[in-house]
Amino acid sequence: MQTWPSHPVPDVAGTPRPLRLYDTSSAQVRPTAPGPTATMYVCGITPYDATHLGHAATYLAFDLVHRLWLDNGHDVHYVQNVTDIDDPLLERAIRDQDDWVVLGMRETALFREDMAALRVLPPREFTGAVESIPDIVAAVAKLLASGTAYRVDDQEFPDIYFDHAATGRFGYESGYDRETMDRFFAERGGDPDRPGKRHPLDALLWRAARPDEPSWPSELGPGRPGWHIECSVIALNSLGMGIDLQAGGSDLIFPHHEYSAAHAEALTSEHPFARHYGHSAMIGLDGEKMSKSKGNLVFVSRLRADGVDPMAIRLGLLSGHYRQDRSWTTDILDTAQTRLTAWRAAVARPSAPPAADLITRLRDHLANDLDTPQAIAAMDAWSRQDGTDPQAPTAVAQAVDALLGIKL
Ligand code: 5CA
Ligand code: ZN
C-alpha cells in the first residue's frame, strides 16, 4: 500500500543515548540493542472508523522509538500493517450500507493524512492484509503440514485453527495466567466456544467462506485470514525473525501479540519472534477507555478540521507518559497550545541559554523508557531562562524537531 509522506529529520549535535525501553515479555526496562538496521513492526489500524486520540498516542509513542534509533545512527526498517479485512470492518459496512472495500480505503486515506499532520515518520512498508493473502495462505498451509494447525470437523465451514501450545512457550509474551487469557481471548475477538476446536484457546488461522462474506479462493479452500496470522506473516516476510521491537497498544498484549509470536515461532522453529515487546497505555475520555464500541471518541481529523494545530495535539498526547493509562481532556489541549506558543517564542529569540545541556537532558529522558513528561519539563525550563548564545535557538528547535517530532 502507499504510505504517507515523510519529512527530513535534522541531525542533532552532541552524543546520542542508546534507548532503554520497557519490554512486556521480561517485565523490565531493558536496553534495545539493534544492529546497524533496527527493525520495528507496529500493528496498524483496522480502518472502519477515523483515527482517534488513542490510536494517535500509540503511533506517537513508537514514533519516538523511531526517532531515537535514527539519532543513534541506525537505519530504521519500520513496517506497519492495515487490517483491511476483518469482522469489525464487515460489521460497520453492513450497519452503514457501505461497501467494505470503499470504507477501508476511505479510512486508511484519512489515517495517512492524520499521521502526516502529526509528523509521525512513515513506515518503509505499509502492508494490507488483503494484499498479503497469498503469503498468509502459504503460511497456514505450512502450519497444517507441520501438524501445528488443524481443521475443525465441520463439513459446511471447515475453519483452520492453530494449536496454541504448539511451540511450548505459549504465554511468554504476555505472562498472563490462564484466567486472564480466557477473559481477554473472549473479549478481544477470540471464539472459545467454537464447536470442534481442540482447545478453547486455539486461534483462528483461516475462516472458511460464509455466504454473504468476502472470501478468496486458495489451496486451503475459499476463505479469509484470521487476525494474528496476518501480522506474523507481514512481519516475517518484511523483517524476518528476531525483530528489535513488536509494538502496539496494551490491548494487543493478549491475545494478538501472544499469537503473532506463537504463529511466527511455529512457522520458523525459531525464538523469539521479537526481542522487545512494547505496549502503550490506553487513552480514555472522562475516565473510560476510548473505544469505538463505547462511542467516546475524539478524532484527530475532527480536531484538525476545528483548526487545532496538529503540533498541539502531538504535544498534548506526549505530555503524559506512554505507559500510563490516561484521559484526554480539553485542559490537556489548552496547556499544550499555551506551551507550544511559549516554545515557539523561545526559539524565535535572538539568543538563549546554550543548547548542549538541554539536548543532553532531552536525550537522557527520552532514552529512559520514553520519559516525555521529563523531556517536556526540561524544555519548559530552558524556554523560561534568558541567555546570550545566538546559536542556541536554532539548535534547540532542531533537537525538538528531531527527537520529539515537534515542529516549532
Ligand atoms: N488492526 C489491529 C492491529 S493488527 C488493531 O488493533 N487496530 S485498531 O484500529 O483497533 O487499533 C490500532 C492501534 O491503536 C492498536 O495498537 C491499538 O492497541 C491502539 N489503540 C486502540 N485504542 C486505543 C486507546 N484507547 N488508547 C491507546 N491506543 C489504542
Ligand atoms: Zn497486528
Side-chain angles (χ1 to χ4, degrees):
M1 276 190 180
Q2 193 193 343
T3 182
W4 58 91
S6 191
H7 52 267
V9 180
D11 284 335
V12 183
T15 315
R17 267 298 232 174
L19 171 65
R20 295 169 57 82
L21 192 71
Y22 185 83
D23 167 40
T24 302
S25 176
S26 57
Q28 55 178 330
V29 176
R30 287 199 293 115
T32 58
T37 297
T39 53
M40 171 162 83
Y41 184 94
V42 180
C43 279
I45 54 161
T46 306
Y48 67 95
D49 211 339
T51 312
H52 60 62
L53 291 176
H55 302 133
T58 289
Y59 297 110
L60 286 173
F62 300 108
D63 183 56
L64 297 179
V65 171
H66 194 163
R67 288 168 182 279
L68 293 178
W69 278 346
L70 288 177
D71 188 43
N72 277 276
H74 299 287
D75 166 44
V76 181
H77 189 167
Y78 173 21
V79 177
Q80 189 178 127
N81 68 304
V82 180
T83 308
D84 57 357
I85 177 68
D86 204 2
D87 296 346
L89 197 67
L90 301 177
E91 285 159 16
R92 179 61 62 95
I94 289 168
R95 191 197 81 177
D96 295 350
Q97 298 186 321
D98 211 342
D99 177 322
W100 67 272
V101 177
V102 177
L103 172 65
M105 286 176 66
R106 193 171 61 232
E107 298 302 349
T108 304
L110 187 57
F111 174 73
R112 284 191 194 96
E113 275 183 36
D114 288 338
M115 291 296 105
L118 292 171
R119 297 182 96 242
V120 174
L121 295 169
R124 193 172 291 176
E125 283 149 273
F126 189 48
T127 309
V130 171
E131 62 185 329
S132 307
I133 286 177
D135 294 336
I136 296 171
V137 166
V140 175
K142 190 173 171 188
L143 291 172
L144 265 181
S146 70
T148 51
Y150 63 91
R151 268 183 206 281
V152 292
D153 186 14
D154 179 334
Q155 297 277 320
E156 204 182 1
F157 303 125
D159 302 333
I160 302 175
Y161 280 84
F162 177 73
D163 168 8
H164 76 290
T167 62
R169 294 183 191 270
F170 190 75
Y172 87 86
E173 180 270 339
S174 64
Y176 290 162
D177 59 24
R178 174 68 197 272
E179 194 190 328
T180 311
M181 288 183 182
D182 284 340
R183 182 158 54 86
F184 286 149
F185 188 82
E187 280 175 21
R188 298 174 179 167
D191 52 359
D193 302 324
R194 163 72 160 111
K197 288 204 318 183
R198 293 183 191 157
H199 190 284
L201 286 177
D202 289 352
L204 180 70
L205 290 168
W206 186 253
R207 178 173 164 88
R210 306 296 201 266
D212 305 323
E213 281 187 15
S215 63
W216 286 260
S218 82
E219 63 180 278
L220 306 168
R224 60 180 168 98
W227 174 26
H228 319 305
I229 190 70
E230 163 194 345
C231 285
S232 313
V233 167
I234 295 173
L236 262 184
N237 285 356
S238 300
L239 301 171
M241 286 295 278
I243 56 180
D244 290 303
L245 176 63
Q246 151 80 319
S250 59
D251 57 343
L252 300 188
I253 294 174
F254 194 92
H256 187 51
H257 287 171
E258 194 72 66
Y259 287 85
S260 300
H263 293 339
E265 290 171 13
L267 275 165
T268 58
S269 305
E270 285 176 42
H271 173 85
F273 171 55
R275 297 162 66 194
H276 241 91
Y277 294 92
H279 294 103
S280 51
M282 290 293 115
I283 301 292
L285 191 69
D286 305 324
E288 281 232 63
K289 177 190 153 181
M290 205 178 275
S291 72
K292 290 165 187 172
S293 50
K294 293 212 176 78
N296 59 343
L297 306 178
V298 180
F299 296 117
V300 174
S301 44
R302 178 72 252 170
L303 291 177
R304 290 201 293 124
D306 290 344
V308 176
D309 186 332
M311 291 300 93
I313 305 172
R314 182 169 179 122
L315 197 47
L317 287 170
L318 294 182
S319 67
H321 191 266
Y322 85 104
R323 283 207 292 126
Q324 181 77 52
D325 284 333
R326 56 204 192 276
S327 276
W328 178 257
T329 61
T330 48
D331 267 7
I332 290 177
L333 185 58
D334 290 347
T335 305
Q337 267 159 337
T338 307
R339 176 173 276 135
L340 189 62
T341 306
W343 287 11
R344 285 187 171 143
V347 299
R349 296 178 288 179
S351 67
D357 181 52
L358 170 64
I359 291 175
T360 302
R361 281 170 205 267
L362 292 178
R363 280 190 168 123
D364 283 354
H365 291 310
L366 292 174
N368 176 23
D369 199 25
L370 308 177
D371 193 345
T372 51
Q374 290 291 339
I376 289 172
M379 178 60 189
D380 283 344
W382 179 86
S383 303
R384 283 193 292 261
Q385 288 154 10
D386 292 326
T388 56
D389 184 339
Q391 255 104 54
T394 304
V396 167
Q398 286 182 346
V400 168
D401 179 351
L403 300 174
L404 283 170
I406 308 271
K407 186 82 178 156
L408 295 178

